[in-house]
Amino acid sequence: MAETPAADVHPPYLYPDYKSTRLRAPAQPLVRVAPSPLDTAGPTFPKHFVKDSEADLTTWGKSAPLGEKMVLVGRVLDEDGRPVRRSLVEVWQANASGKYPHPVDDHEAPLDPNFLGKGQVLTDDKGRYRIVTVKPGAYPWQNHAFGWRPAHIHFSLFGNAYAQRLITQMFFPGDPLLAIDPIFQSVPEAGRRLLIADLDLEHGVEGVALGYRFDMVLRGPRATPMGV
Amino acid sequence: MAKPTPSQTVGPFFARELLWGDGDKVLFPGQGDRITLTGRVFDGAGAPIFDALFETWQADAAGKIPSGGDGARPYGYGRVSTDTDGRYAIETVMPGSFRGPGSETYAPQISVTIFARGLLKAVQTRVFLAPLEAIKDDPLARAISDPDRLRTLIAARDPGDPKIYRWDVRLRGAGEAVFIEL
């Protein structure tokens, strides 16, 4: 099984309870290699790659989407606590009914014409981001009998170096479905808390939107100062 | 040291959210020989993986690491999804070789990251655009002792069209590609 010393927080490739890993997880050990100059550099996203409006997922339609409006704030940091500045953060999610506007989503739940469920933002000079959206719904999936994915928001981060590239999922505090979700449970216990947002009421909008906080930490190549 | 945020799968519902218009055409500020890297991604049963996100990052034709972008997109980065046959195609320039901090020489190569449903973490590797005998001094080639394993990372030039490099990726089982960790 391809297992790495960094597995203290990252999931293994093979996690049989998540059925899709059985044929897709590499079986050979990873080859450890020093970072190349490509790994310590990374793509630069031009300033107008992202429009300010793309950080608000609730303003794409003719009126507000259905669901519980929320503001999500957080910081992207490296392992030494330094801000990861001017880096691209992409998000996508189901609507409040647990439905994605995607052709392979066969969940019998309504689409929301006022919600596309995608957004992006660049972190600021302190590594901060802010996104406005609605809380996604849980939805059933075919992995196992009576399986339901807990509500989650997908995150894609580029960091400041190719070696920092990360795709992950953010979950909500107190969700009973976390206990039966093999994707969440694939993360070793020491890492699970890091995928759950905190309520952060003061960053919400009084009377309008609930506030949540989700900070993320990107690693560099092991034992190699990246200086980014 | 803060613990890194754990990885999770990209899942099946990403295409519309993450794909770029013209993400299959990699941009550079300068010129170079335009080539296409193309192939298919397979699972451990030999079935095509039709829902992978395939990303590439590379040096320019002179071996320089790109920085900046053309105003709409970063230089040097490609991003596509595989199709129903598991096929991807990236049109780019032939990368030059480049030097590392210890003055080691990197053979012409493209860094590849693949995300997919069923991959709880991305797989990363480097595909070589040069024959086996030309990459022997490359740091990754030296780290792979078995030549059969190394061959899983060599793109084959199409005999009928020298601008096309073909590289199939098997995630698991016979012919499994070498994946790396830094």
Side-chain angles (χ1 to χ4, degrees), chain A residues 23 25 92 162 165 168 217, chain B residues 5-6 13 44 55 113 117 172:
Chain A
L23 285 174
W92 72 104
Y162 182 68
R165 184 85 179 88
T168 191
V217 175
Chain B
T5 302
F13 306 126
E55 295 185 349
T113 300
R117 169 177 61 84
R172 182 179 181 84

Side-chain angles (χ1 to χ4, degrees), chain A:
Chain A
M1 190 192 308
E3 205 34 281
T4 75
D8 54 337
V9 293
H10 288 294
Y13 282 116
L14 182 63
Y15 191 77
D17 286 354
Y18 174 27
K19 281 188 184 161
S20 295
T21 67
R22 296 179 191 174
L23 285 174
R24 293 185 168 192
Q28 298 283 331
L30 302 181
V31 170
R32 193 131 165 214
V33 65
S36 85
L38 281 166
D39 297 314
T40 50
T44 325
F45 290 93
K47 230 179 188 169
H48 36 282
F49 183 86
V50 172
K51 299 182 195 75
D52 288 346
S53 61
E54 291 179 293
D56 189 340
L57 283 66
T58 67
T59 55
W60 288 59
K62 289 184 183 146
S63 62
L66 293 170
E68 185 179 307
K69 191 168 182 178
M70 58 177 272
V71 175
L72 179 59
V73 298
R75 293 181 76 194
V76 183
L77 303 170
D78 70 14
E79 288 174 288
D80 295 320
R82 294 174 297 194
V84 178
R85 302 183 171 95
R86 300 278 155 205
S87 67
L88 182 64
V89 175
E90 301 165 297
V91 296
W92 72 104
Q93 63 169 88
N95 69 23
S97 303
K99 177 81 173 174
Y100 290 87
H102 190 288
V104 307
D105 185 354
D106 55 6
H107 178 203
E108 285 185 35
L111 285 169
D112 183 340
N114 294 310
F115 192 71
L116 288 176
K118 61 176 280 191
Q120 57 182 1
V121 62
L122 289 173
T123 58
D124 70 9
D125 285 336
K126 292 180 174 164
R128 295 177 300 196
Y129 71 90
R130 180 179 187 272
I131 283 163
V132 180
T133 184
V134 296
K135 186 177 178 184
Y139 56 85
W141 66 318
Q142 311 297 320
N143 185 74
H144 56 283
F146 301 103
W148 280 70
R149 295 284 343 268
H152 60 278
I153 296 177
H154 295 268
F155 274 80
S156 160
L157 290 88
F158 279 82
N160 291 144
Y162 182 68
Q164 292 183 313
R165 184 85 179 88
L166 177 76
I167 286 182
T168 191
Q169 301 181 18
M170 183 209 91
F171 300 92
F172 289 84
D175 190 336
L177 295 176
L178 292 173
I180 61 146
D181 183 44
I183 294 180
F184 176 75
Q185 295 290 332
S186 72
V187 174
E189 189 141 19
R192 289 179 198 158
R193 180 69 192 84
L194 305 175
L195 294 181
I196 301 175
D198 291 315
L199 263 184
D200 187 342
L201 297 176
E202 287 167 16
H203 278 97
V205 179
E206 170 69 26
V208 174
L210 199 49
Y212 286 94
R213 163 171 295 279
F214 185 55
D215 296 329
M216 286 167 282
V217 175
L218 301 180
R219 66 172 306 140
R222 194 175 5 270
T224 305
M226 305 240 314
V228 289

